[in-house]
Amino acid sequence: MNKTVLITGTSRGIGFETENFLSSKGYKTFGCGRSKVKKENYLSVDLSTKEGCEKLYNSAKKYLGHIDILINNAGTYAYSNIENADYETIDNMTKLNFYAPYYLSSLVIPDMKRQKWGRIVNIGSISGVVGEGGATLYSATKSMFLGFSKALALEVAKFGITVNTINPGWVETELSKNGIEESDLTYQDNIDVIPQKRFIMPIEIANLAYFLIQDEAKGLTGQSINLCAGLSCG
Ligand SMILES: NC(=O)c1ccc[n+]([C@@H]2O[C@H](COP(=O)([O-])OP(=O)(O)OC[C@H]3O[C@@H](n4cnc5c(N)ncnc54)[C@H](OP(=O)(O)O)[C@@H]3O)[C@@H](O)[C@H]2O)c1
């Protein structure tokens, strides 16, 4: 039987590419975003609410039958010095980048435990590993995955469930384009400090996610893997 995947944030970018890649490999997928997309395996929903997360979980379960794999991808970025952060921005980003993946994981784990098999892949960020000045809120929300992946990996290890985080550096998507426009740096300034002198392509994230959900990757758990064209190396 084909394995099933619930992946968040599939209306564009990394989530879109990853969902397409996994369905080309035979996985049955269900995705979401706030945008309206006419696909039977897609729900238009705001994940920064409890009700949104529950609606997504219920719709995915109805469509997929059961959930083998959760990919926590949806996220938002902001470039803003800490003194400019208003409470609402802190609240909104925390709800999407932190509460949603945590809560969705809590919803899928009971099924995975019953099945004695499961995979959770989180899309973190290199900014959660090394810190990104000017994006403290984003860095803080993404660093949560480092502890979360390790702690949850311990909790579910004996049930055949693995939990890992991919930390991308700059990836060619709308998020990076808008983020750079908001910042004091140009696209070229960013390229200059990346050892490989390029942004990561979404398909590279999709390939790593694909590896992490294989049976053969069962020994790899609780890890955070930096996919950053060398940005985090020094
Ligand atoms: N691009 C980079 O350079 C980069 C680097 C490191 C990490 N990442 C991480 O990778 C992940 C994907 O980023 P991306 O570059 O693909 O971003 P993107 O192009 O902006 O796509 C983000 C996806 O998340 C969905 N989303 C945003 N807010 C949502 C909400 N409130 N409820 C439901 N869905 C929502 C968006 O759909 P709608 O707009 O339709 O809601 C979209 O499908 C994020 O977690 C990001 O932090 C990206």
Side-chain angles (χ1 to χ4, degrees), residues 87-130:
Y87 196 83
E88 207 186 355
T89 310
I90 303 170
D91 200 35
N92 288 340
M93 196 184 291
T94 307
K95 280 182 175 148
L96 180 66
N97 290 9
F98 183 154
Y99 279 40
Y102 189 98
Y103 189 46
L104 283 172
S105 300
S106 80
L107 295 175
V108 301
I109 284 287
D111 292 350
M112 291 180 178
K113 278 186 172 176
R114 264 192 299 278
Q115 295 159 195
K116 298 229 170 347
W117 198 96
R119 295 282 182 269
I120 297 183
V121 178
N122 305 303
I123 307 301
S125 169
I126 211 66
S127 308
V129 181
V130 297

Side-chain angles (χ1 to χ4, degrees), residues 77 79 132 170 176 179-181 183-195 197-199 231:
Y77 175 88
Y79 190 87
E132 183 185 349
W170 284 118
S176 60
I180 289 167
E181 273 167 18
S183 80
D184 317 320
L185 300 173
T186 64
Y187 182 86
Q188 192 54 47
D189 291 336
N190 283 292
I191 292 279
D192 288 345
V193 296
I194 302 171
K197 305 295 172 213
R198 68 180 188 94
F199 277 25
L231 191 55

